[in-house]
């Protein structure tokens, strides 16, 4: 399909997929996983892992909503934005194997990890991999918009879907502007990255390990069809420390619509 004469820009929450677009000529960051650095000046660093199809910029504004003592450090997985020339990963375990050593090497403790949807699953596996490597564990794990790892996800076959059917799936999920859903070229552009990310989320195989000695705070939403509050509550079984859950009014992307509440809770849990 030929691109439109004036192609629509991708919104901040959707990352440009692998191979799309031209090089901006910008110098790559020292560590591609942390395009906005790691907040060395702050007391605590908050690593933020994005949801399916999104890149690090989805969390860029969070730094302005947190106290100066907490640095928001968005994480950039392969295949999007500044790493769009790389192939996206299709396994949360492989993501953890690659990212965990970078966290140990690059991020100064104390730090916390936040993940939304697919990012929540990846954050969980990253913490488990850091434990295997005997690295310094995060002081807190924040998860949002996902069932616990032990609860299988419903599989969504996005590969090969025509644009109109892909739009139906994304519309149900929420968070994608209608101008994107109405433009077949844009949907075809982001489809390969979405296929990879949904594979990470839905093809995950849970293997029991000892509970994490890390407190967990989970954010659920009243109208999230993919992670209802009673399902999200299963995250309590993954920590030997304290567990808390906050239910937001909204859909799968309620954490962004209610970011002041979310960031306030994060600050309170981190004691700043």
């Amino acid at each position: 399909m030929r691109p439109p004469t004036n192609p629509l820009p991708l919104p901040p929450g959707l990352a440009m997929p692998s191979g799309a677009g031209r090089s901006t000529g910008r110098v790559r960051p020292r560590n591609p996983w942390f395009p906005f650095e790691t907040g060395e000046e702050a007391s605590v660093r908050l690593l933020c892992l994005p949801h399916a199809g999104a890149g690090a910029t989805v969390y860029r504004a969070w730094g302005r909503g947190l106290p100066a003592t907490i640095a928001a450090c968005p994480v950039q997985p392969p295949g999007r934005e500044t790493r769009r020339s790389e192939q996206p990963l299709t396994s949360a375990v492989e993501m953890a194997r690659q990212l965990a050593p970078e966290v140990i090497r690059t991020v100064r403790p104390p730090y916390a990890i936040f993940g939304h949807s697919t990012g929540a699953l990846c954050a969980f596996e990253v913490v488990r991999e850091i434990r295997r490597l005997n690295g310094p564990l995060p002081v807190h794990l924040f998860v949002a918009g996902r069932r616990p790892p032990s609860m299988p996800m419903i599989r969504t076959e996005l590969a090969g879907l025509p644009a109109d059917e892909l739009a139906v799936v994304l519309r149900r999920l929420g968070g994608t502007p209608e101008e994107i859903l109405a433009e077949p070229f844009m949907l075809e552009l982001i489809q390969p990255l979405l296929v990879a990310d949904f594979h990470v989320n839905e093809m995950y195989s849970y293997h029991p390990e000892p509970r994490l000695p890390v407190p967990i705070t989970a954010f659920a939403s009243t109208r999230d069809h993919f992670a209802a509050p009673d399902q999200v509550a299963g995250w309590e079984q993954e920590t030997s420390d304290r567990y808390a859950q906050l239910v937001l009014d909204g859909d799968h992307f309620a954490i962004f619509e209610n970011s002041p509440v979310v960031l306030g809770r994060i600050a309170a849990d981190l004691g700043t």
Side-chain angles (χ1 to χ4, degrees), residues 103-203:
V103 173
I104 295 172
R105 182 176 68 86
T106 307
V107 179
R108 179 173 63 85
Y111 69 97
I113 300 183
F114 178 97
H116 175 236
S117 194
T118 303
L121 174 64
C122 293
F124 169 73
E125 279 295 336
V126 167
V127 177
R128 297 217 293 187
E129 182 67 10
I130 290 172
R131 178 171 62 181
R132 295 184 197 106
L133 297 174
N134 295 314
L137 292 173
V139 295
H140 211 106
L141 173 61
F142 298 93
V143 294
R146 199 194 188 280
R147 302 174 183 185
S150 58
M151 184 179 294
M153 295 289 291
I154 299 172
R155 295 186 179 181
T156 308
E157 298 296 337
L158 296 185
L161 281 183
D164 57 343
E165 294 182 26
L166 179 60
V168 170
V169 174
L170 296 180
R171 188 173 286 110
R172 182 177 177 225
L173 186 64
T176 304
E178 278 298 322
E179 59 266 28
I180 299 295
L181 297 176
E183 181 48 68
F185 172 74
M186 296 301 293
L187 290 172
E188 291 178 8
L189 194 64
I190 65 175
Q191 191 169 19
L193 179 56
L194 289 172
V195 168
D197 282 353
F198 272 59
H199 191 280
V200 169
N201 203 26
E202 298 172 355
M203 302 300 287

Side-chain angles (χ1 to χ4, degrees), residues 10-16 26 35-36 48 50-51 53-62 64 74-77 80-82 256:
L10 285 175
L14 290 174
M16 188 71 76
R26 291 188 301 174
F36 308 118
C48 302
H51 52 270
T57 55
V58 73
Y59 293 114
R60 190 72 192 273
W62 278 27
R64 297 190 292 272
V75 174
Q76 190 77 282
R80 62 212 78 204
E81 297 178 354
T82 54
F256 298 107

